Amino acid sequence: MVNVVAIYKPFLHGLLKLVGMTQQAVEIEPGTVLNFWVPTETKKRTNTRPSKKHAVVFLHGFAMDGILTWQFQVLALARKYAVYVPDLLFFGSSFTDRPERTTEFQGECVAKGLRKLGVERCTLVGLSYGGMVGFKMAEMFPDLVESMVVTCSVMALTESVSNAALQRIGFSSWKDYLLPQTKNGVKVLFDVASYNLPKAPNFVYKHILEATFGHRKERIELLEALVISDKEFTIPHFRQMIHLLWGKNDRIFDMQTAQNLKEQAGQKATLESIEKAGHLVNIERPWVYNRRLKTILASFVEQKWSTQHNTTS
């Protein structure tokens, strides 16, 4: 049987091209390449002059690559915003021959890639692992990241946060949960991460396993680098606007985790949740998520315009 993911991807890529998106491999340095989905106009520009549209960068979680994770949001936003969707290292066709596996290194590579694509300022939208990378980018590159939308994530996966999350979902390690080796393991992954995602035939889970869980050794190393001791973590001071958009029934990072994150993020942070949605809220309830996201992005753009106008007047 032909792999259904292999069939679906060209169809999805065709839809993306219709809304003005294209793929571009960006060499960060020799031996390190990130695959991006970018506005088609990016390739047409002869210099790095930024787009007049507000740039929105989507950072994916640990289960799938960038465009599979954010397909519904990209299709909804690509005409109004300059949308960029990288595959983080060891997802999709992104790779490095360097040994670093930290969120800092992931964030550094994404930031360098965006600079090469002509992005000067942007809003980051991060899900789970992508949110952790996004927080590092906001901390390290405040001149690049002007605002954030974070979904079902944390600033850092400390041992206490990690242990509590694993206990809630009934796993002893992130490797066992996030890197399944059987079709049943893939089914469990999606069952845990969703509130009521429709069940798929077993062959679909088998095809997802075959198509999306490569680079196992490197991804294990990413997970090993992800968990840090509580003593290592200090809360950064963020000057960006941060909006937390959560699945109310997320079992991995529950609403108490979201509330704790809001307090850590400071007075500029806001929090809202979507009913009947789990960790993969953007996939499970995409139309509701998109409505909320559009409202949030519009408020960011309006506040940005107001700030610039007040500064120049």
Side-chain angles (χ1 to χ4, degrees):
M1 181 184 293
V2 179
N3 189 294
V4 295
V5 179
I7 294 173
Y8 178 66
K9 275 194 169 183
F11 171 74
L12 174 60
H13 293 178
L15 290 178
L16 291 165
K17 289 178 181 178
L18 289 176
V19 297
M21 299 289 292
T22 189
Q23 288 193 79
Q24 184 166 338
V26 180
E27 185 180 58
I28 308 305
E29 60 184 48
T32 300
V33 176
L34 286 190
N35 177 65
F36 278 81
W37 277 90
V38 303
T40 302
E41 65 180 42
T42 301
K43 280 192 172 182
K44 293 179 179 178
R45 290 199 298 264
T46 56
N47 53 44
T48 57
R49 184 176 67 254
S51 170
K52 293 181 180 179
K53 296 179 181 178
H54 183 76
V56 181
V57 179
F58 288 95
L59 301 176
H60 62 82
F62 212 87
M64 296 182 287
D65 65 22
I67 209 61
L68 284 176
T69 300
W70 293 110
Q71 55 187 292
F72 300 115
Q73 289 67 50
V74 174
L75 291 170
L77 295 172
R79 295 195 185 279
K80 185 171 183 179
Y81 295 95
V83 172
Y84 297 83
V85 189
D87 290 333
L88 298 174
L89 292 169
F90 304 116
F91 295 86
S93 55
S94 296
F95 64 90
T96 185
D97 59 8
R98 287 180 52 171
E100 291 92 337
R101 300 290 184 261
T102 62
T103 52
E104 289 93 337
F105 184 60
Q106 290 273 24
E108 180 183 329
C109 290
V110 174
K112 287 181 178 179
L114 291 171
R115 301 283 197 202
K116 287 176 178 283
L117 291 167
V119 178
E120 295 180 350
R121 302 281 284 166
C122 68
T123 294
L124 292 181
V125 183
L127 170 70
S128 195
Y129 179 65
M132 300 177 213
V133 174
F135 273 120
K136 280 298 177 184
M137 287 180 63
E139 180 184 356
M140 295 187 297
F141 307 104
D143 58 324
L144 172 66
V145 181
E146 62 185 5
S147 53
M148 292 182 67
V149 181
V150 177
T151 294
C152 301
S153 186
V154 290
M155 283 187 192
L157 194 59
T158 61
E159 289 177 344
S160 59
V161 170
S162 174
N163 292 338
L166 287 170
Q167 186 174 13
R168 278 193 296 272
I169 65 176
F171 279 83
S172 60
S173 74
W174 291 110
K175 178 186 71 173
D176 292 342
Y177 173 59
L178 289 170
L179 293 172
Q181 299 188 69
T182 66
K183 63 185 178 184
N184 187 62
V186 177
K187 180 180 182 298
V188 170
L189 187 155
F190 284 101
D191 285 347
V192 168
S194 62
Y195 173 74
N196 191 25
L197 200 64
K199 300 297 186 290
N202 282 336
F203 74 83
V204 173
Y205 298 116
K206 179 176 182 290
H207 290 180
I208 292 172
L209 177 66
E210 293 169 350
T212 61
F213 288 94
H215 295 293
R216 183 176 177 84
K217 173 182 177 293
E218 291 83 2
R219 291 192 195 182
I220 289 173
E221 293 168 353
L222 291 175
L223 290 174
E224 289 172 346
L226 191 58
V227 180
I228 63 172
S229 73
D230 289 62
K231 292 180 180 179
E232 287 181 60
F233 175 61
T234 55
I235 301 172
H237 174 72
F238 293 103
R239 64 189 192 207
Q240 294 93 343
M241 297 173 283
I242 300 174
H243 191 96
L244 310 179
L245 182 56
W246 231 257
K248 192 166 187 178
N249 305 96
D250 185 3
R251 292 166 57 191
I252 300 171
F253 298 129
D254 60 9
M255 287 307 300
Q256 184 58 57
T257 304
Q259 188 60 48
N260 294 343
L261 178 59
K262 180 179 181 296
E263 293 173 6
Q264 290 176 337
Q267 294 182 344
K268 286 187 176 182
T270 55
L271 168 64
E272 64 177 302
S273 61
I274 294 175
E275 299 276 354
K276 298 181 180 178
H279 192 73
L280 298 176
V281 53
N282 61 305
I283 295 173
E284 194 170 15
R285 301 203 65 190
W287 320 128
V288 179
Y289 187 92
N290 289 354
R291 275 202 310 272
R292 303 281 184 90
L293 181 58
K294 287 177 181 179
T295 300
I296 295 163
L297 293 175
S299 71
F300 285 168
V301 172
E302 182 179 355
Q303 186 164 345
K304 174 184 175 181
W305 182 89
S306 177
T307 301
Q308 291 175 341
H309 180 74
N310 292 336
T311 302
T312 57
S313 61

